[in-house]
Amino acid sequence: MNLRQSIIKVFFANLLQLFTSIIVGFFVPAVLSVDAYASLRTYTFYITYVGFLHLGFVDGMYIKYGGKNPTENDKGILKGEHRFFFIFQTIVSVVIAGIAILIGNVLWLLIGLSVILINGYSFHKMYYQATGQFSKYTGYAYAYSLVYLALNVLLAVILKNKDANLYCLTTVIANLVVLLVLEGSFYKNFHRTRAIYDKKGIRNNISVGFFVLLGNLSVTMFYAIDQWFVKFGMTTDDFAYYSFAISLLNMVTVLVNAVTITFYNYLAREKNDEKLRNIKKYLVILGSLASFGYFPLAFIIDFFLEKYIPALSVISISFAAYPYMIVINAIYVNLYKVQKDERKYLWSVVKMLIVAIIYNIIGMLIWNNIESIAFATTFSFITWYFYAMRHFPALKSDWKELLYLCLVLISFLLCSHISNYFIGAVIYLIILIVGIVLFFKDLLKASVIKGFIFGIRQKK
């Protein structure tokens, strides 16, 4: 399966996930009170860190199998890794859930149950991604989205339930259902295989993966540091509004991830610098188009979710980060892993995390509002975008790309603050089209020619 086919498969899986995010993202906040929604977002915020509890095992396995054909892998060793991992994660999950029961904390009980479910799902998901098995990956992604959507529709639309804990439980149940299906498939393919416990390989998965894990954790912290500042430095309402804005940002990111998810396997095989430079430019264009998503979302909020209108001031700033965000996720982060330079990856991300913390502190000290945190986060992405180029000289931006990025950033921030969303959308779209034609004309011509040739070959 080539890169284009992989992206298309993942795109349609993510399209369903986007539809799910829209339903959940708008109906659930409409039903819950602002305080209850803040509780739900606290749970979803905390479970993003449960991956740290596998100590990098999954990340090491991702590096180990990246770019390989699944038929080349030793089934006995893979079964041994699987068995070790699930015993390890079950112990961690039971310990956290047990402590939660003793102290009577429902939130931490759900988090404890989520450890084995989320990390178990990640084990299979990352293996499929690393080995390029995107048909299987997308199949299970469909299953998760459908279960999650059905449960939330039942609670929010049909029952109009206002208990935040039940909405947290939908994530637990959806992960459980998909993990059971994944485990059934794994058992079917491996039950006749004798497990081989390669102690050196298991240790290597953790030793290599731990640095990647710390890097990934730092990336997660980088993406979430703004929410930590809002949660502990501002009011509950501020956290609810800001979290709602982030959930909308993630809606558009779902489609963008159709590209980023497929890239590790591709970059592990592709060594052509010219192709990578062109891909980077395509991603910059895609990111600027993703920013356009602000306008329809702003219209929906203004007319149907008035209690979350304060969140518009955040997304009118945060959506400007898309061109930088997508290049960081799809190319820079994956290239660090492809080059197996885990320490450089870790320290680069840690430096950027420190930069983000400094920006957020400055925002808090000077303005102390959610808009200042949104600006700090956007400039953090811009800083990382340019900092990473020193590690990948072949991807250094030319003057056309730099001018396009400046044009998009300024025009979006201005257009997103026009009171009439329709006028703002039209002006921004016109500027985008003119900018793309003006600065990426050669790239567009090459794409049209390649598409024409590809079409002729397909007909033949």
Side-chain angles (χ1 to χ4, degrees):
M1 185 184 298
N2 61 32
L3 180 63
R4 182 182 303 187
Q5 291 171 327
S6 299
I7 290 175
I8 290 171
K9 279 187 174 292
V10 178
F11 175 82
F12 281 108
N14 284 20
L15 195 62
L16 175 60
Q17 191 178 340
L18 173 63
F19 176 72
T20 302
S21 299
I22 291 171
I23 299 297
V24 174
F26 287 118
F27 281 97
V28 173
V31 171
L32 295 178
S33 66
V34 173
D35 284 347
Y37 183 70
S39 298
L40 170 60
R41 293 299 300 177
T42 298
Y43 164 76
T44 57
F45 183 40
Y46 286 166
I47 62 171
T48 58
Y49 296 95
V50 300
F52 183 71
L53 297 173
H54 61 64
L55 303 182
F57 187 93
V58 170
D59 303 282
M61 193 181 72
Y62 186 66
I63 299 294
K64 175 181 178 180
Y65 292 113
K68 292 183 179 179
N69 190 310
T71 58
E72 300 171 359
N73 302 323
D74 189 310
K75 293 181 70 174
I77 290 177
L78 181 59
K79 185 173 182 178
E81 290 173 330
H82 170 271
R83 186 169 294 176
F84 167 82
F85 179 79
F86 274 81
I87 292 171
F88 169 35
Q89 290 303 286
T90 298
I91 293 170
V92 174
S93 199
V94 167
V95 168
I96 295 175
I99 294 172
I101 291 171
L102 289 176
I103 63 176
N105 190 307
V106 176
L107 177 66
W108 278 98
L109 173 60
L110 293 171
I111 292 171
L113 294 174
S114 298
V115 172
I116 181 62
L117 302 177
I118 292 175
N119 288 347
Y121 184 12
S122 292
F123 178 94
H124 295 286
K125 182 171 65 175
M126 298 297 271
Y127 178 73
Y128 289 142
Q129 286 182 28
T131 53
Q133 298 182 75
F134 292 108
S135 292
K136 290 185 177 180
Y137 167 82
T138 54
Y140 296 116
Y142 281 131
Y144 176 84
S145 295
L146 289 171
V147 174
Y148 183 66
L149 174 63
L151 291 172
N152 277 278
V153 167
L154 175 65
L155 287 175
V157 180
I158 299 174
L159 300 178
K160 299 191 183 301
N161 191 283
K162 299 182 183 297
D163 186 347
N165 288 330
L166 290 178
Y167 290 92
C168 297
L169 193 60
T170 61
T171 302
V172 176
I173 295 172
N175 277 299
L176 173 62
V177 170
V178 177
L179 182 59
L180 289 175
V181 176
L182 281 164
E183 283 298 295
S185 176
F186 188 87
Y187 176 79
K188 181 180 177 181
N189 292 323
F190 287 83
H191 74 282
R192 296 183 185 278
T193 303
R194 185 176 67 86
I196 298 173
Y197 298 97
D198 180 6
K199 294 179 181 179
K200 182 179 178 181
I202 290 172
R203 283 197 301 270
N204 191 59
N205 279 353
I206 294 176
S207 62
V208 170
F210 189 69
F211 284 98
V212 179
L213 173 68
L214 290 177
N216 289 343
L217 179 65
S218 298
V219 170
T220 302
M221 284 295 295
F222 178 89
Y223 275 74
I225 194 64
D226 51 346
Q227 294 178 73
W228 286 106
F229 272 89
V230 175
K231 181 164 181 61
F232 293 107
M234 298 183 187
T235 67
T236 300
D237 283 1
D238 284 334
F239 181 70
Y241 296 138
Y242 198 90
S243 296
F244 179 72
I246 296 300
S247 72
L248 298 183
L249 188 72
N250 291 339
M251 282 185 190
V252 183
T253 305
V254 163
L255 290 183
V256 172
N257 280 346
V259 177
T260 61
I261 285 170
T262 60
F263 258 62
Y264 178 74
N265 182 265
Y266 174 77
L267 292 175
R269 295 180 282 109
E270 182 58 63
K271 308 299 180 185
N272 188 308
D273 288 342
E274 183 62 29
K275 282 186 179 180
L276 290 183
R277 279 193 291 271
N278 287 337
I279 288 171
K280 179 174 173 250
K281 291 176 182 178
Y282 283 124
L283 293 177
V284 167
I285 295 171
L286 178 62
S288 61
L289 291 170
S291 299
F292 182 81
Y294 161 79
F295 298 100
L297 290 174
F299 175 81
I300 293 170
I301 293 169
D302 198 26
F303 280 87
F304 300 105
L305 280 172
E306 290 185 8
K307 65 181 176 181
Y308 286 98
I309 285 178
L312 287 177
S313 62
V314 174
I315 62 176
S316 65
I317 300 164
S318 300
F319 273 48
Y322 272 122
Y324 310 94
M325 190 189 303
I326 186 173
V327 172
I328 291 167
N329 287 347
I331 297 183
Y332 293 153
V333 169
N334 281 322
L335 278 178
Y336 284 121
K337 296 175 183 178
V338 166
Q339 294 177 358
K340 296 184 171 22
D341 201 341
E342 298 86 15
R343 285 174 172 79
K344 182 187 287 186
Y345 169 57
L346 171 60
W347 293 121
S348 297
V349 178
V350 168
K351 287 176 185 176
M352 291 303 99
L353 176 59
I354 293 170
V355 167
I357 291 171
I358 293 171
Y359 286 172
N360 278 275
I361 289 173
I362 292 172
M364 288 282 286
L365 291 176
I366 298 177
W367 296 285
N368 193 30
N369 56 36
I370 54 179
E371 292 80 14
S372 66
I373 299 299
F375 268 117
T377 302
T378 298
F379 285 118
S380 297
F381 279 111
I382 295 173
T383 302
W384 190 358
Y385 178 89
F386 288 106
Y387 172 81
M389 286 182 198
R390 63 198 296 267
H391 294 148
F392 310 110
L395 296 177
K396 188 175 180 180
S397 297
D398 57 27
W399 68 270
K400 290 183 179 180
E401 184 182 313
L402 293 175
L403 285 177
Y404 178 78
L405 285 169
C406 289
L407 175 68
V408 167
L409 177 64
I410 294 169
S411 61
F412 175 78
L413 290 176
L414 291 175
C415 292
S416 65
H417 287 82
I418 295 174
S419 57
N420 187 306
Y421 304 126
F422 180 76
I423 294 174
V426 170
I427 294 173
Y428 180 67
L429 191 58
I430 291 172
I431 293 172
L432 271 188
I433 294 170
V434 172
I436 292 169
V437 172
L438 189 63
F439 296 113
F440 298 114
K441 183 167 58 178
D442 294 339
L443 192 67
L444 292 176
K445 283 182 180 178
S447 299
V448 171
I449 292 170
K450 286 179 182 177
F452 178 72
I453 293 172
F454 178 78
I456 292 174
R457 287 176 179 171
Q458 289 290 91
K459 288 178 181 179
K460 288 182 179 180

